[in-house]
Structure formats: structure tokens, C-alpha cells
Amino acid sequence: QASQFRDQMAPTRVLAVFGSETGNAERGLTKCSEYLKARSDGSYVIVDTIAGNEAVEDLANLARKYDVLLVASSSFGEGDPPHNFLRFLIKLVDAKAEGAGTPLAGMQHSVLGFGQSVYSTFQNTPRYVDKLLGELGSRRFVKRVELDEGQTESASGEQAEPEHFGTGGGVRDGVTSKPHVGREAGFEEWRAAVFTALKTAKETATLPEVCAWHEPGDGAVLEKSSAELAHVRPERVEDAAQPQLALALLVGLLAASSYYYYHYFERSPTPTTTSVKGLLPLLPLLLSASWPPHDDYYDCDDYDCYDDGDYSHYFGGRARPDV
């Protein structure tokens, strides 16, 4: 009983997790975390704000360390997660596929989705992660808000809505879209709802969730397996097979073996010259194998990079990220 009393008196521990390609979701969630920290009455504490890939750990352990998970994410390409959210989503997908039960039981969560409704996979990652968190035992304590950044005009059509990050937009509420509602309004709506819910999170933890995962939105979600997710960008998955690295190590091993063979067994007067000359044809292969993969669109952290309307040269002909 004493332990239960201490748990009840302790502040609600909140972890904020983002997935973002161009920085909008990260900036939005960071802004929200700062707002919540400044207004906390001691009933909750924002422990950290990190990228999803940094939150990869045993899910049961995650539930022991935190009480609430706040998630802000966009989608990339064909509804895939941002590069810094991939491993976290794969962790959830694997847990569901392996029949892990409800390792997140006792936790609560809410999701803020970023995206543009011009894409057919609009809000896919936010919806997918919201669905998985609920299926793995977490209670949805604030309805997901889906920001549509495709809208840039105000209700009067005269000028863009004020903006603090990104390029302007709207918010989808229910199964219909409310165009011409500034994205900032949707962001503030979610932030205010989270703020109110956090203050009573201890009391509401055992209540039914506030809504089903498919609210808001049209219920459409493309569920991908961990193998499908890893296939999209395998270099982003920790401990994934790295044939390039293996090849580089093999070439290095051959070079070292050649050197020691000539030096200690053949007693060549010029062991290094002989061995290096024999390996010169392999040098381009070694360099290409050891050089890190290049994705030129990762160099762009500001949404303004895409304002010229021609996106193909940023992505090498690949799909442009939602955010």
C-alpha cells in the first residue's frame, strides 16, 4: 500500500518522441515540450524529447520508466517512417507480430501527425504507430490530431495563416478535412488537450481510451512488416546486414595478410611495395565499400528547400517526404 501511495503521488513521467525528415515534427514536438515544462504544476514531468530511434529498448522496460508517450511524426515516401523513427516503429511491429501481448499496459499516449493530404499515404505513419501503441496495451488519452500542411491560405483567401514552423496548413478532424484552418490552430488544439490530460493522468490511467485509433481520419492505414520497412532504407536499421562494410573489412584483411606473408615468410626486400601494388586494383572497391551511403535530401533541414516546386533533384527521382 505504501508503494502504491508513492506511485500515486509521484509526477507522471512523460517521454516525447519524434520522427521527422525535414525537422517540422521535431520542432513542433520540441516546442510543445517546452510549453508543457513551463506550465507544469508538479503533476507531471517531461523527462526527455528524443528521436524515435533513441527510444528503442525493451517495451516492458519503456513502460516501467515512463507513464506517458507523446509522439509527433510524419511519413516518408510510400507511407514509411522518417529515418530517425524507423527502428522504433520496427520495434512495435515486431512486438505485435511476435504476439508479445500488452507490454505497454499501464502507459498512455497521444499522437500528433504531420503531412500533406495530396499524398495517397497521408498520415500513414502517425496512424500506424497510434494503432500499434494501443494494440500493445497503451491507453490513448488524447485523440490524435492530423495536421494537413497542404493548405496555405487563410479562411479569407487573402494571405497565409501565421506560422511558427513549416509552411502553413490545416487540421483534419473526424472523417472530414477542415481546409483553410491554419496548422498552428491544430497544433495548439493538440497541445492544449495534452496539457489538460497530463494534469489528471494518474486518475484516468485505468479508464477506457478516449477514442479508437482510426479517429480522426478515414481509417485508412498501410500496415507494413518489419522486413518491408527495413527494405525501404536498410542502412537505417541498427545491426542490419552491411555487405558494404563486410567487403571493406575483407579487403583490409587481405591487405594485412599479404603484407605479413611477404614480410615474415618470403622476406621480400620490398614487402610493402609488393603487397600494395597487388592490391591497387582493389582500392576503388575499398573506398566505395567503406564510404557511407549518400542521401542528398538529408542535407536539407528547412522546409523552404522545397519551395521551388521541383523536388526531383532533391530526391534523385524518389518520392518526396510528407514532412
Side-chain angles (χ1 to χ4, degrees), residues 36-278:
L36 295 173
K37 282 181 182 178
R39 289 160 178 77
S40 175
D41 58 1
S43 59
Y44 64 86
V45 57
I46 308 298
V47 179
D48 208 350
T49 302
I50 59 177
N53 287 352
E54 298 178 41
V56 176
E57 59 179 291
D58 179 73
L59 295 182
N61 188 46
L62 190 70
R64 284 190 292 269
K65 292 171 62 177
Y66 307 103
D67 304 302
V68 169
L69 194 63
L70 300 179
V71 178
S73 180
S74 59
S75 294
F76 172 87
E78 299 301 317
D80 299 299
H83 70 278
N84 53 13
F85 197 74
L86 176 63
R87 298 205 314 265
F88 181 70
L89 182 57
I90 285 179
K91 188 76 173 181
L92 299 179
V93 171
D94 282 344
K96 178 68 188 310
E98 294 164 4
T102 56
L104 299 181
M107 286 197 79
Q108 302 183 78
H109 75 275
S110 183
V111 176
L112 177 65
F114 287 73
Q116 295 185 340
S117 58
V118 295
Y119 297 100
S120 60
T121 53
F122 173 69
Q123 296 289 337
N124 194 71
T125 292
R127 293 176 184 179
Y128 196 14
V129 72
D130 197 2
K131 182 175 186 288
L132 287 168
L133 289 172
E135 291 173 341
L136 292 171
S138 179
R139 173 183 178 266
R140 191 169 298 102
F141 83 138
V142 172
K143 181 192 291 188
R144 183 179 68 255
V145 168
E146 300 184 344
L147 305 180
D148 182 356
E149 299 189 285
Q151 304 294 336
T152 58
E153 292 185 346
S154 66
S156 66
E158 296 176 354
Q159 61 184 17
E161 291 285 346
E163 59 193 25
H164 293 177
F165 53 88
T167 59
V171 54
R172 294 173 72 93
D173 186 14
V175 296
T176 60
S177 175
K178 295 192 296 184
H180 310 303
V181 176
R183 184 197 50 247
E184 195 72 18
F187 171 78
E188 291 176 359
E189 172 191 328
W190 183 77
R191 185 178 64 183
V194 167
F195 175 59
T196 299
L198 283 177
K199 292 189 290 184
T200 59
K202 292 287 186 182
E203 292 78 11
T204 61
T206 57
L207 297 179
E209 59 186 9
V210 297
C211 65
W213 74 265
H214 53 77
E215 300 177 42
D218 54 11
V221 64
L222 178 61
E223 300 188 33
K224 296 190 176 184
S225 67
S226 58
E228 290 172 318
L229 292 170
H231 178 72
V232 174
R233 45 209 331 181
E235 75 278 7
R236 300 294 176 178
V237 184
E238 189 176 42
D239 297 329
Q242 296 287 345
Q244 292 176 316
L245 179 60
L247 183 59
L249 292 174
L250 178 60
V251 172
L253 182 61
L254 288 173
S257 300
S258 177
Y259 172 83
Y260 282 108
Y261 175 80
Y262 280 107
H263 186 66
Y264 292 105
F265 294 98
E266 297 293 331
R267 299 295 179 181
S268 170
T270 56
T272 54
T273 303
T274 305
S275 57
V276 170
K277 280 184 177 179

Side-chain angles (χ1 to χ4, degrees), residues 22 299-311 313-314:
T22 64
D299 296 335
C300 179
D301 291 324
D302 194 313
Y303 206 80
D304 291 337
C305 291
Y306 313 124
D307 281 349
D308 63 357
D310 179 13
Y311 315 122
H313 61 288
Y314 290 112

